[in-house]
Amino acid sequence: MRDVNEDPAYDGRRAVAESIERGGGGLDVAGLLAKVRAAGTATEPAPAPDLDGLTSTMAAAVEPAPTPAAAPDPDREGRTTATVAAVEPAPTPVHPAPDLDSLAATIAAVAGRHLPSGRLAPDADFFDAGGTSVDAVELVAELERELGIEVDLDEVFADARPASLARRWLPLVGDGTTPAATPSPPLPAMSTLPAPAPAVSAVAASAPAASVEGGSVPVAGIAPSPVPASSTFATSASAASVPPASAPAVSAVAASAPAASVEGALVPVAGIAPSPVPASSTFATSASAASGVAASAPAASVEGGSVPVAGIAPSPVPASSTFAASAPAASVVAAPAPAAGIAPTSAPAPSTFPAPAPHTPPAVPATPSRAGDSSSADTRHTRARPEDLDQILADLALADRLPFTDVPEPLPPRRVLLTGATGFLGSHMLLDLLRHSDAHVYCLVRAADEEAATARLGAQLRSYKLPWSSEVRRRITVVPGDIRHPRLGLTDEQWHTLAHELDSVVGVAAAVDFLRGYPSLRGSNVLGALTLAELAATGRPKPLHHISSIAVFNEVGITSMGEDDPLAHVDRLISGYDQSKWAAEVALRRARDHGLVVTALRPGGIGGHTRTGAYNPQDLSSGLISAFGRLRTVPAFRHLNAAPVDWVSRVAVAAICEPDAWGFDYNLTGVPNTLDDVVRDMALGGMHVRVQDWDEWRTDTLARLEAEPVPELAFLSRVLQSPTALKLCEATLKGPAAGAERTDALVAALGLTPAARYDAQAQLKTFEQLAGDGLARLPHKDDQPYLWFAETTEGAVGPVGTAAQTPCSMALTLSIASMYQLVKERRVDVTGEVTCAAIHPDPLTVERGDVWVRPDEGIPQQHGLRHQLLRYRLALRDADGGLWWLEGRKYARARRDLWRQTRALTVEIGRDGEAASLLGEVVVPADSYVRDQIDGIQVDPRLTGQEKRAAKLTWLAWFGLEMGRGLVAPFARAAADLLDLRRTPTLTEHHR
């Protein structure tokens, strides 16, 4: 270091570095950042992210202020000197930092590639535009490549609008850092705030920026414009209205660039007068796009809010009616708190009842953590976010604005509005409503017009293997609309017509996504439910049947989940889906106080159809089931509350059509599965799984998916790294069995099929569908046998047309890879040897062999005299390489020698591709039958002793039943022939 310090070439550079560190002149902030970027390029050459299309105007927008002076640090000076000396000669050009609009446009362009329409507006929600959880995972991976930063998947799920993402990521893209934020050192608190607002703590900033979480803060020299009152049900939090409540504590966070950085608030910047927000009638909102709010200028970096910058006038927010969800980006969650030295400007009071304002305390900066670090995730995701809780409380208050209504007439519905008819459960409920009632169903379908809505509904029904016939179309009316829009997106005429003609409203539509945040789901799941409640309470009194979810109990450690038990504590619900379903059900409970008859139907996990195998292809459980089958491991759990979709749909429709069942809560969870049940079912299906605890299973699954990628499960490895998903799974796996006493009583009273465990037999068709779609793998005959036993036969064969005199014997091993092949194919695998001197002096090897039990359902041969019990088909190879085939049959006849019928096998043998040349009969010796095929049964050693016994008993029970049916059939046929004395004799009668 001495040589370097004494070198005259470094004197000037050291002086510049010392001057900058003391807060003096030399380099401004933009220049220093440019040199730091150049140093990174010179010392560690790497390809720069593709940001050529993103132009920056941040540096030119505002002249940066000097950095505050700091005490000299000799060590730090030395390091700074060395750094500056190293970076100054680097000639590599620096890419300009992107501005907010350009970054939002880039994110929107990338997101559009994962949407059906191929495009996405910067202020539109990715999921509302048709994106799924799988699409979001793929989008995050592409954005990381495109922007060159590390992206947190939970950020996308919490608020998936490109404009909002751009506000959060702009500093990261500009500085080339990662999303982990470091808390800034606090400055002394401001002392000039008005009395109604709590103290505001300011944090040091390196540039003149206003950074606020949770409130609207006018900057020095600006008088905020008044916000007009909203006339009826004005939404708080995400709606653009300001309640007359005292502002909560506000924390200003440091900004490293001359920009206005705001979280969750609208902040006027110097020299700008924000435009007034017009009044909104009945639950005002601006949907998910935050339309009408001015976009931030390039110099403004905003999280969760819109910030007008000098010279830009925000556009007014148009008026809207009914419940409409506003995006979190235009969220005003506190009353305006003026900055130091500014007198607050009064705003007119609302003319009617405003929704209460959320009271969010200042957000504490999170400690940076690595992606996928479960220990860090556990500490940061043990409670709901305060801003989400405030939004939930504000949404609950909207139910108090609903009109009062009378009790509906207790008659089965004749005109029903059904939302969610294109979804998995909703489509099955539509068909059940048509099958089991005389109702005419109005289906609300999200589409541009009636023709597109009808086409979409028909396509969805066919995709779930449901009929789309002229009779179905005759009894439905397709109504284009959207559950997320004010008054369902209907015209005033349509709204009032439905309000006076309908006699029942069924709300099935919901955004089912376990990873999206509450702000992203509230529009569909909460405000949409309140809109349906408003429709039910308007005009003719109507009951509202709301499809809730067992997720309202998804709290870790909850002890019971009965139909009348208290719901979970909302502050302990981590998943946005759980929070939204909780908020919707609690809000509708408040609506009951207004006279509205609300029936809450809570399904658990909804499995595939037991007869058609149709399943929900966008459900996360499909990926988990596939992982269970492929990796042969399952996480330990207490109970799995799941039922097939056909049973859930049928019971839900029964409650809708039975007036005596209205107004209660029902758990449509069927009979819960235990861990032992699932392990046993998978073992019977040939999938011998190993049980692990949740953390071990998650870690093992991620490692195996990384080592051996499965294209169909590429999204699962990213999903399993989400802290939100981890808490959701923990609550689900550790939860108790759901109680369903009222549901069971309703099923019994109406004579419906009682609930049964969703076992291997019920899942059979669904598993076949999953395998056909590449999401699972069925057991194969090459898999390790699940159960096997030996069979030996002795007899004789001879040329066709002559007596059988040549000895022939077989030493075979019969095995099954899974019970699935028995249930589905009635087939047993065969290996072993065949010894027959008429073919070859040496034994022949069985290369491939199968035995079918009661083939063709035991259809009789030769005029009904012989019924097939077993059929053997073996492919043989002799010692010289010659290929042969052997086919044998065991027959049942109406004779007394039943014991010999089960052991005697008629065989035909011939060369491959030729007709049979040898015929004969071989018989299983009586003394070896019980020894080999009953006592000698072997079971997979990986199973426990109890499972081995269950496997043996299952095989013997199934095989004995099939053989019994086969032996009885010829006697039943003979008895029918004897009793049918009036039957006309056939041409073959004289041969009997």
Side-chain angles (χ1 to χ4, degrees):
M1 288 298 297
R2 172 173 181 157
D3 296 335
V4 173
N5 293 335
E6 292 179 357
D7 190 344
Y10 290 91
D11 292 344
R13 299 171 192 167
R14 176 164 182 165
V16 171
E18 292 176 351
S19 175
I20 294 173
E21 194 170 26
R22 290 192 299 268
L27 289 176
D28 58 10
V29 174
L32 180 58
L33 289 176
K35 287 187 174 291
V36 172
R37 294 193 191 100
T41 305
T43 56
E44 296 180 345
D50 185 12
L51 299 173
D52 293 339
L54 305 178
T55 59
S56 172
T57 57
M58 293 179 62
V62 184
E63 181 65 21
T67 305
D73 184 350
D75 295 335
R76 184 177 176 185
E77 289 181 11
R79 290 193 300 270
T80 306
T81 304
T83 302
V84 176
V87 303
E88 188 172 11
T92 306
V94 178
H95 288 284
D99 60 61
L100 184 63
D101 294 337
S102 299
L103 180 57
T106 299
I107 297 174
V110 175
R113 302 170 196 164
H114 301 273
L115 295 176
S117 62
R119 61 182 183 275
L120 180 68
D123 56 355
D125 187 270
F126 175 77
F127 298 105
D128 289 343
T132 64
S133 298
V134 178
D135 297 329
V137 174
E138 297 173 351
L139 171 62
V140 166
E142 187 169 352
L143 286 174
E144 287 183 341
R145 294 192 301 268
E146 191 84 10
L147 304 179
I149 62 174
E150 182 181 352
V151 175
D152 187 355
L153 181 62
D154 282 355
E155 287 190 358
V156 177
F157 282 114
D159 191 349
R161 291 169 301 152
S164 179
L165 294 175
R167 295 185 187 102
R168 291 200 295 269
W169 296 345
L170 182 63
L172 311 179
V173 175
D175 297 341
T177 58
T178 59
T182 303
S184 302
L187 283 182
M190 297 181 182
S191 58
T192 56
L193 292 177
V200 178
S201 63
V203 179
S206 59
S211 174
V212 180
E213 296 184 13
S216 178
V217 182
V219 181
I222 305 167
S225 301
V227 180
S230 59
S231 61
T232 316
F233 308 104
T235 59
S236 65
S238 64
S241 62
V242 181
S246 300
V250 179
S251 172
V253 182
S256 60
S261 176
V262 181
E263 293 189 11
L266 187 67
V267 181
V269 181
I272 304 163
S275 301
V277 181
S280 60
S281 61
T282 325
F283 303 107
T285 177
S286 62
S288 63
S291 59
V293 181
S296 301
S301 173
V302 182
E303 294 191 15
S306 181
V307 182
V309 183
I312 303 176
S315 304
V317 179
S320 59
S321 64
T322 342
F323 296 94
S326 67
S331 176
V332 180
V333 296
I342 304 175
T345 305
S346 60
S351 58
T352 54
F353 306 101
H359 303 284
T360 307
V364 179
T367 304
S369 62
R370 299 189 310 272
D373 186 349
S374 59
S375 61
S376 299
D378 289 342
T379 58
R380 293 187 296 113
H381 295 83
T382 56
R383 298 277 178 161
R385 300 189 310 167
E387 54 268 34
D388 290 342
L389 294 177
D390 290 337
Q391 185 64 74
I392 291 172
L393 295 177
D395 291 341
L396 294 181
L398 300 179
D400 298 333
R401 276 73 178 164
L402 289 169
F404 288 85
T405 184
D406 295 329
V407 178
E409 191 175 2
L411 294 175
R414 302 299 299 265
R415 289 171 296 276
V416 179
L417 174 68
L418 174 66
T419 67
T422 57
F424 183 51
L425 177 60
S427 61
H428 287 84
M429 289 183 62
L430 170 61
L431 267 295
D432 280 332
L433 279 169
L434 299 179
R435 289 171 180 150
H436 303 289
S437 75
D438 297 327
H440 186 89
V441 183
Y442 294 81
C443 300
L444 185 75
V445 179
R446 187 171 68 249
D449 51 43
E450 184 176 351
E451 180 180 359
T454 303
R456 181 172 178 236
L457 178 60
Q460 288 298 105
L461 290 179
R462 286 190 292 266
S463 70
Y464 295 130
K465 300 184 179 181
L466 296 173
W468 178 243
S469 61
S470 58
E471 177 63 17
V472 172
R473 291 191 289 270
R474 182 184 69 83
R475 293 184 56 193
I476 66 172
T477 298
V478 181
V479 181
D482 196 329
I483 191 71
R484 302 164 299 181
H485 290 173
R487 289 193 169 183
L488 307 177
L490 307 177
T491 63
D492 290 343
E493 181 181 358
Q494 290 176 312
W495 174 267
H496 291 296
T497 299
L498 291 178
H500 290 83
E501 290 187 356
L502 294 175
D503 50 23
S504 187
V505 177
V506 181
V508 187
V512 182
D513 197 315
F514 299 143
L515 300 178
R516 292 166 60 181
Y518 180 80
S520 179
L521 296 173
R522 61 183 289 268
S524 299
N525 297 358
V526 183
L527 300 185
L530 289 174
T531 303
L532 293 179
E534 183 187 12
L535 177 63
T538 303
R540 181 180 183 180
K542 300 171 284 295
L544 171 62
H545 308 285
H546 171 66
I547 299 297
S548 184
S549 172
I550 204 69
V552 297
F553 296 104
N554 251 3
E555 174 187 341
V556 176
I558 199 166
T559 57
S560 62
M561 297 194 301
E563 290 163 323
D564 296 324
D565 287 343
L567 305 185
H569 296 86
V570 66
D571 62 319
R572 298 173 191 172
L573 297 178
I574 310 304
S575 167
Y577 176 76
D578 298 348
Q579 295 168 350
S580 66
K581 299 304 288 186
W582 185 97
E585 184 167 331
V586 172
L588 294 180
R589 286 187 176 188
R590 293 191 180 186
R592 287 173 175 170
D593 297 336
H594 290 232
L596 187 65
V597 175
V598 178
T599 306
L601 304 165
R602 306 185 190 120
I606 302 179
H609 200 288
T610 56
R611 292 186 297 274
T612 66
Y615 68 98
N616 187 359
Q618 297 181 354
D619 196 285
L620 183 62
S621 61
S622 299
L624 294 176
I625 292 174
S626 179
F628 296 165
R630 284 179 177 271
L631 305 179
R632 300 296 195 261
T633 58
V634 295
F637 59 86
R638 292 179 58 191
H639 296 92
L640 188 62
N641 298 294
V645 65
D646 43 327
W647 184 86
V648 173
S649 172
R650 182 67 188 92
V651 176
V653 168
I656 293 169
C657 297
E658 178 53 55
D660 290 339
W662 296 350
F664 299 98
D665 300 334
Y666 298 90
N667 287 347
L668 308 183
T669 54
V671 178
N673 277 299
T674 64
L675 178 61
D676 291 340
D677 293 333
V678 173
V679 171
R680 187 185 313 112
D681 289 343
M682 298 189 75
L684 292 176
M687 295 174 288
H688 312 289
V689 297
R690 180 164 52 93
V691 179
Q692 302 172 316
D693 63 47
W694 168 247
D695 291 331
E696 181 185 2
W697 182 85
R698 169 179 168 270
T699 303
D700 179 65
T701 301
L702 288 173
R704 295 173 68 176
L705 289 178
E706 182 178 358
E708 299 177 3
V710 179
E712 295 83 5
L713 297 178
F715 75 97
L716 188 60
S717 60
R718 296 296 296 268
V719 170
L720 290 178
Q721 299 180 48
S722 168
T724 300
L726 298 185
K727 281 297 176 183
L728 171 69
C729 292
E730 181 183 357
T732 302
L733 297 176
K734 296 182 179 180
E741 291 79 9
R742 183 180 291 113
T743 302
D744 294 340
L746 174 66
V747 169
L750 299 179
L752 304 178
T753 303
R757 193 172 64 82
Y758 191 47
D759 57 7
Q761 180 65 30
Q763 299 178 41
L764 179 61
K765 289 289 186 180
T766 301
F767 203 82
E768 291 175 353
Q769 286 291 112
L770 289 170
D773 295 340
L775 291 174
R777 183 180 65 86
L778 292 174
H780 192 267
K781 65 186 308 178
D782 295 333
D783 293 343
Q784 180 176 342
Y786 167 68
L787 178 146
W788 65 93
F789 56 89
E791 181 181 75
T792 59
T793 59
E794 299 174 354
V797 298
V800 177
T802 64
Q805 298 178 349
T806 306
C808 180
S809 64
M810 297 189 298
L812 306 177
T813 298
L814 280 64
S815 64
I816 57 175
S818 67
M819 292 300 292
Y820 167 79
Q821 72 182 72
L822 292 181
V823 175
K824 181 64 179 177
E825 305 173 3
R826 296 184 180 181
R827 182 182 58 81
V828 179
D829 299 321
V830 180
T831 59
E833 292 181 343
V834 175
T835 302
C836 184
I839 302 176
H840 198 279
D842 297 327
L844 288 78
T845 303
V846 178
E847 288 197 329
R848 184 181 64 259
D850 299 288
V851 175
W852 287 271
V853 181
R854 291 186 65 240
D856 304 324
E857 294 290 338
I859 295 176
Q861 294 181 334
Q862 296 186 2
H863 313 297
L865 296 180
R866 299 194 300 177
H867 294 243
Q868 296 186 82
L869 288 177
L870 300 174
R871 185 177 70 196
Y872 289 63
R873 180 73 183 183
L874 309 181
L876 309 174
R877 180 183 294 273
D878 60 32
D880 298 330
L883 300 179
W884 299 78
W885 60 266
L886 181 150
E887 186 162 331
R889 288 180 174 86
K890 290 183 179 182
Y891 291 106
R893 301 176 180 88
R895 297 179 181 177
R896 292 179 295 176
D897 58 342
L898 299 180
W899 174 236
R900 192 177 189 282
Q901 292 178 31
T902 61
R903 298 182 292 113
L905 181 66
T906 302
V907 297
E908 300 176 349
I909 304 175
R911 282 191 176 274
D912 188 32
E914 299 179 5
S917 58
L918 298 173
L919 297 177
E921 183 181 76
V922 294
V923 180
V924 179
D927 59 346
S928 69
Y929 190 92
V930 174
R931 182 191 65 204
D932 293 341
Q933 301 191 28
I934 297 179
D935 296 338
I937 295 177
Q938 303 293 319
V939 185
D940 190 340
R942 294 175 294 180
L943 301 181
T944 64
Q946 182 180 0
E947 292 171 340
K948 290 179 180 179
R949 290 190 295 270
K952 288 182 181 181
L953 292 176
T954 302
W955 157 254
L956 291 174
W958 181 87
F959 185 72
L961 177 62
E962 293 295 326
M963 295 297 287
R965 292 173 61 188
L967 292 171
V968 170
F971 289 94
R973 176 66 180 269
D977 289 346
L978 292 173
L979 293 174
D980 191 7
L981 302 179
R982 295 172 298 174
R983 179 174 53 83
T984 303
T986 63
L987 297 178
T988 60
E989 186 69 23
H990 63 280
H991 294 299
R992 299 195 175 187

